[in-house]
Amino acid sequence: MDVKIYKNGILEQELSLSEGSYLLGRSNNCDIVLAEKNISRKHARLVVANDQSSIEDLGSSNGVLVGGSRINKQKFVENLTVNIGCFTLLFQPVLNKKDEKLKTTSLGRIISLAGCKPYKTAYLLLGLFYLLIAYAVVSFAGSTLDTLFQKMELERAILISKSLVQLNSPYWIQSDVTMFRIDAFEKEDGVIQVLLVDKYGRILAPIDKVDHTIDHPLYAKSLKSGVIEIEKQGKDDYYISHPVRLGTKIYGAAVVTYRVRPLASVAATNFGVLYGVLGFFLLLIFCIAWALVRIIIQPLKDLSIEIGDAIRERRDSLTASTAYPELNDIKNLFERLFARLAFVQDSVIPDNGVNGMQTHVKTGHEVQPGQGVLFNEVLELLSKQKKNACCVDLDTHQLVGFTPKFLSLFEVVDTEMCHMLEVFQEEEILLTIMSVLDGNERVGNISISGRSIAVKLYDDRGGNGNVILVFDEEV
């Protein structure tokens, strides 16, 4: 187990502990020495034992805190943070390379949250999961293509019936059945039977069917309506009756029975590799998309979530590991920022007669006479003028004071000392304000709920490294 020990937000020790029992306290005889007056000589006991690791308070004066609450004994969970006096202990399990790699995958996280260890079975489940997705995608694509192909086949059958009528219409009108031409249509793929019928239902062609009659409701319906009629028979067969007409007079109909074959049967006979090629390309596209998400998007998302959690929990470091070196600069930047902010304590200056006015001052500053509360007096003046204003610490970018109007403008609920990142959450607003603070712009313009707001520095400095920002709504 790896342990990082921070003192007032500064990393002091990094330890790698094997299985066993460890005593924590002020005494030099302890296994892990925490040398501070507010730490008991024998403060706590740490037990490292595979899945049964725990930390126990040994009746100390100031206790052991987990999540801000005092505990007697606490079993370990992943990335457990423990506070003992001014010390913060961050415990992390040691993973082998295979486990660590798997834990960066989505399935690895699910397995970890379920309390299971990611062994070879997890890799098998991961592979089966991706194969199942690939099969579902290919099956859906195949089903969709089947539907489109059958629609195209039916349109082809209708085209055959129209061509049959157009070629033979003159012979119907002339009553010259010897001239009928249907041989080529009978040989078309998918055609089961072609019949030319007069208006009384007598078959005129082919020759072997002459003098026979048909009695089919769809044929009678097409003669009556004068338009093509289609009816499905069985699973894949369609019965098509196309009337022959000149003006309002109907001479008979061309009847085609056609089998609309599914794509699978066509692929088996004519396009043997169609499904294989289609499946390969769909799987390739899926793998490329998955790789892009895993390699580029997911690590950025994970780091963003970790930064957000660290800001909300006011932690002094980021516990998540970055997936590739380019993210380390971002991570290190935020860790330096968190280290400066984590143990800042604040005290509230009493209200000096301004209704609803509340400002905050950081403790630990060397306040020069007459400057310590200068920003408080300026904010009081701006509050009386009903201005939107706040005071920013230039060293840490904490908001250390604000007027009541400012709170409503940015919908600040928690009036405790907060960071600029927590209040100005929109990137465009934050960049504009930073530009004004750095002196790159004299006046910046931001938009809040459709309103245009001018951001500028107040003429007087806030004192002790603080500066006043005023937000004026443009009329």
Side-chain angles (χ1 to χ4, degrees):
M1 175 178 292
D2 291 336
V3 184
K4 292 183 179 180
I5 302 177
Y6 296 84
K7 181 179 179 180
N8 294 329
I10 300 173
L11 182 62
E12 244 193 16
Q13 300 182 58
E14 286 190 67
L15 306 173
S16 184
L17 305 179
S18 57
E19 292 188 12
S21 178
Y22 299 87
L23 194 62
L24 288 76
R26 189 178 74 245
S27 172
N28 291 329
N29 295 325
C30 292
D31 301 301
I32 300 175
V33 178
L34 305 177
E36 280 295 325
K37 293 181 179 179
N38 59 351
I39 306 297
S40 300
R41 293 178 59 80
K42 295 182 179 180
H43 200 105
R45 177 181 288 108
L46 170 65
V47 177
V48 180
N50 275 340
D51 298 334
Q52 300 296 323
S53 299
S54 63
I55 187 167
E56 180 182 3
D57 187 1
L58 298 178
S60 61
S61 301
N62 295 316
V64 177
L65 304 180
V66 174
S69 301
R70 186 165 180 168
I71 55 97
N72 293 322
K73 188 174 183 178
Q74 173 70 44
K75 289 186 177 181
F76 277 22
V77 294
E78 189 172 351
N79 296 327
L80 177 68
T81 301
V82 176
N83 292 309
I84 300 177
C86 61
F87 293 93
T88 298
L89 285 71
L90 177 62
F91 297 93
Q92 296 175 309
V94 178
L95 300 174
N96 59 47
K97 291 184 179 179
K98 289 184 178 179
D99 288 353
E100 189 170 7
K101 183 178 179 181
L102 180 63
K103 286 181 75 63
T104 61
T105 66
S106 300
L107 187 61
R109 291 192 189 93
I110 294 172
I111 294 170
S112 177
L113 290 174
C116 304
K117 290 187 176 180
Y119 293 123
K120 293 181 180 179
T121 305
Y123 286 104
L124 177 62
L125 291 175
L126 186 63
L128 291 175
F129 174 72
Y130 289 131
L131 284 176
L132 181 63
I133 291 178
Y135 173 76
V137 171
V138 172
S139 298
F140 174 76
S143 175
T144 303
L145 285 175
D146 267 344
T147 302
L148 293 174
F149 184 78
Q150 290 188 36
K151 183 179 179 181
M152 291 170 58
E153 281 278 278
L154 182 57
E155 290 175 352
R156 182 170 173 270
I158 295 171
L159 183 61
I160 289 174
S161 70
K162 288 182 178 179
S163 301
L164 191 62
V165 169
Q166 290 174 1
L167 180 63
N168 293 287
S169 288
Y171 313 128
W172 252 300
I173 296 170
Q174 296 170 14
S175 300
D176 188 356
V177 297
T178 60
M179 297 296 293
F180 283 147
R181 297 289 182 267
I182 65 171
D183 293 348
F185 298 100
E186 289 178 316
K187 296 176 182 178
E188 288 280 351
D189 289 341
V191 174
I192 298 175
Q193 181 177 254
V194 173
L195 299 175
L196 302 182
V197 188
D198 67 10
K199 62 181 178 180
Y200 301 109
R202 292 175 299 199
I203 297 176
L204 304 177
I207 296 175
D208 59 339
K209 301 285 185 180
V210 171
D211 294 332
H212 288 72
T213 59
I214 65 171
D215 183 18
H216 196 287
L218 192 71
Y219 165 72
K221 184 179 179 182
S222 68
L223 290 182
K224 185 177 180 180
S225 64
V227 296
I228 189 170
E229 298 289 347
I230 303 171
E231 181 180 281
K232 189 173 183 180
Q233 295 183 326
K235 184 179 180 181
D236 300 315
D237 295 348
Y238 285 84
Y239 189 90
I240 303 169
S241 180
H242 196 301
V244 180
R245 57 185 296 173
L246 181 62
T248 59
K249 189 174 181 180
I250 296 177
Y251 292 89
V255 178
V256 178
T257 305
Y258 190 91
R259 178 157 294 165
V260 176
R261 297 162 297 169
L263 181 61
S265 66
V266 176
T269 55
N270 300 318
F271 310 101
V273 295
L274 179 61
Y275 263 142
V277 172
L278 175 65
F280 172 77
F281 279 107
L282 285 175
L283 185 59
L284 181 63
I285 292 171
F286 170 79
C287 290
I288 292 173
W290 175 83
L292 287 175
V293 170
R294 294 299 310 149
I295 295 172
I296 299 175
I297 301 175
Q298 189 63 41
L300 287 171
K301 182 180 177 182
D302 292 343
L303 184 59
S304 174
I305 293 173
E306 174 68 13
I307 290 171
D309 291 342
I311 291 173
R312 285 191 295 274
E313 297 169 10
R314 298 181 183 271
R315 285 194 268 116
D316 60 332
S317 64
L318 299 176
T319 57
S321 58
T322 54
Y324 45 89
E326 288 76 9
L327 287 180
N328 281 332
D329 291 340
I330 301 176
K331 180 183 175 183
N332 293 337
L333 175 65
F334 276 94
E335 283 189 332
R336 287 197 300 271
L337 175 63
F338 294 154
R340 296 172 69 181
L341 301 181
F343 289 90
V344 172
Q345 298 177 347
D346 62 322
S347 59
V348 179
I349 294 181
D351 186 349
N352 292 331
V354 181
N355 186 27
M357 178 67 190
Q358 179 173 276
T359 56
H360 302 266
V361 180
K362 289 171 55 179
T363 60
H365 272 241
E366 292 184 7
V367 181
Q368 299 299 323
Q371 288 189 337
V373 292
L374 175 59
F375 74 85
N376 188 39
E377 296 170 359
V378 174
L379 284 178
E380 286 184 7
L381 176 63
L382 293 173
S383 180
K384 291 178 181 178
Q385 296 173 357
K386 297 184 177 180
K387 294 282 188 180
N388 299 305
C390 67
C391 183
V392 181
D393 186 318
L394 292 177
D395 290 331
T396 64
H397 293 128
Q398 290 279 119
L399 299 189
V400 294
F402 23 68
T403 64
K405 252 195 123 178
F406 173 84
L407 298 178
S408 60
L409 177 63
F410 287 96
E411 299 180 354
V412 178
V413 178
D414 185 4
T415 57
E416 293 297 314
M417 184 186 299
C418 49
H419 194 269
M420 283 177 56
L421 290 173
E422 296 177 277
V423 177
F424 311 121
Q425 296 183 6
E426 293 186 23
E427 182 180 0
E428 186 175 343
I429 294 177
L430 183 60
L431 290 175
T432 301
I433 292 173
M434 288 298 297
S435 180
V436 172
L437 288 176
D438 293 339
N440 297 328
E441 294 184 55
R442 186 177 181 83
V443 178
N445 290 291
I446 61 175
S447 178
I448 302 175
S449 302
R451 295 180 293 169
S452 181
I453 307 292
V455 185
K456 58 186 178 181
L457 292 174
Y458 192 70
D459 291 339
D460 295 324
R461 288 275 170 171
N464 198 32
N466 299 318
V467 68
I468 304 290
L469 281 175
V470 178
F471 299 79
D472 285 333
E473 186 169 355
E474 296 182 350
V475 181

